[in-house]
Amino acid sequence: MATTDTTRVATTETGRMGRVAYARIAPNEDLVQGVEKLCLAEGFRHAFVRGGLGSLIDASLGLRDGGYQQVAGPAVEVVSIAGEVRSGPDGAPVAALAGIVADTQGNVYGGPFLAGWNPVCVTFEVTLEEWLPDTETAA
Amino acid sequence: MTQSLHAGYHRPRMLRHVGRFSPVRIHSMHHQSGRHIRLLLAPGLSLYDALVRPLAEIGVTSASTTILGGQFARLEYCVAPPDPSGHAVIAYSPPIDAGAAYLVFGNATLGKDMQGKALVHCHASVRVASGEVKGGHIVPQASIVGAQPIPVLVTALEGFELRQALDDETNIPLLKPFKES
């Protein structure tokens, strides 16, 4: 029977929560890149989304085959969101965000938000909590 | 038809708002740490009162909250279609009565309105009385917590506060972070 070797994959990371940042992202800014820019602005390398709500002009949600589902607005309301931001050795933050959106009839759709393709309509409020891995803070 | 499946590139569209473009695109503030609170929304109260009152009693007036799911005796929500008046690009619809609805997951921001009164801005997905799942902007004063308490994870914002102010670009009053007054 074939088995999957998972021994080289780090599945746990211990650490602690650090600073808390709140931002209002303005219209026409991309949701995903806006969260990444927030991390650059506040100096967060890694973070978790603690809360977020707002509206998008249209939403683009990634599909398994590499395509996307487009939900037309305006406005498409973001009614659930979760995700994290991670920075690599170059320090550039990369946000991975997923959630549920509602169209102008209240119908709901869900999936990952594609970076660059989810422009804010009126406002997006987001709260991030900084994540400080022990491996980066022990020294 | 409000959704479609695609492959390949598309150019995301932008909107021109009614007011003057603001050069500040990401308006942020931070504090050295967050204060976390587990709150139970009390049965029979409106979502507004069930959030605002107990948090005010412990000195919390600005917060980001996650509503972890629970039954409401009744719930109202709005959607946000284009504003035909041209006053802004969108406007909230009249409240939609969801009846006895189950709030699946929601986020609510607590701040102060332009008169200094507590303001709750909540978006959520809900299973409405008919069984359909819908989503939108919850009307907190008109949505009544059901018979069981509903847990909420609160991240209190300290060192700054959230206040509603008229946003010149969109011509809509919005929550933004400010130094504490």
Side-chain angles (χ1 to χ4, degrees), chain A residues 33-127:
Chain A
Q33 292 174 325
V35 168
E36 292 167 348
K37 291 173 190 172
L38 166 60
C39 286
L40 288 174
E42 297 294 350
F44 289 10
R45 278 183 50 76
H46 311 299
F48 290 105
V49 174
R50 272 296 188 188
L53 66 154
S55 58
L56 304 174
I57 300 170
D58 308 296
S60 293
L61 306 169
L63 299 174
R64 207 170 107 186
D65 64 1
Y68 61 93
Q69 180 178 35
Q70 187 171 38
V71 182
V76 175
E77 303 253 47
V78 176
V79 297
S80 299
I81 188 167
E84 65 169 359
V85 181
R86 301 289 293 185
S87 293
D90 66 355
V94 177
L97 308 177
I100 308 286
V101 299
D103 67 14
T104 54
Q105 283 82 48
N107 300 314
V108 291
Y109 311 87
F113 294 102
L114 294 179
W117 287 11
N118 286 283
V120 170
C121 185
V122 171
T123 192
F124 198 88
E125 305 169 18
V126 63
T127 300

Side-chain angles (χ1 to χ4, degrees), chain B residues 50-163:
Chain B
L51 271 173
V52 169
R53 285 188 200 168
L55 291 177
E57 286 170 7
I58 58 171
V60 174
T61 56
S62 291
S64 179
T65 76
T66 302
I67 304 171
L68 300 178
Q71 186 70 45
F72 278 70
R74 63 183 299 261
L75 184 141
E76 292 184 5
Y77 69 98
C78 301
V79 293
D83 181 357
S85 76
H87 180 74
V89 296
I90 59 160
Y92 282 126
S93 69
I96 300 165
D97 184 358
Y102 188 91
L103 189 150
V104 180
F105 181 97
N107 280 135
T109 307
L110 172 65
K112 293 177 182 170
D113 71 11
M114 291 197 285
Q115 289 73 46
K117 189 166 164 270
L119 173 74
V120 173
H121 185 201
C122 178
H123 285 193
S125 49
V126 295
R127 188 180 64 208
V128 303
S130 68
E132 280 185 288
V133 177
K134 294 285 193 175
H137 169 98
I138 307 301
V139 183
Q141 287 88 346
S143 298
I144 307 299
V145 180
Q148 300 297 321
I150 298 174
V152 178
L153 173 60
V154 179
T155 302
L157 301 174
E158 299 181 319
F160 61 93
E161 65 182 12
L162 304 181
R163 293 205 305 265

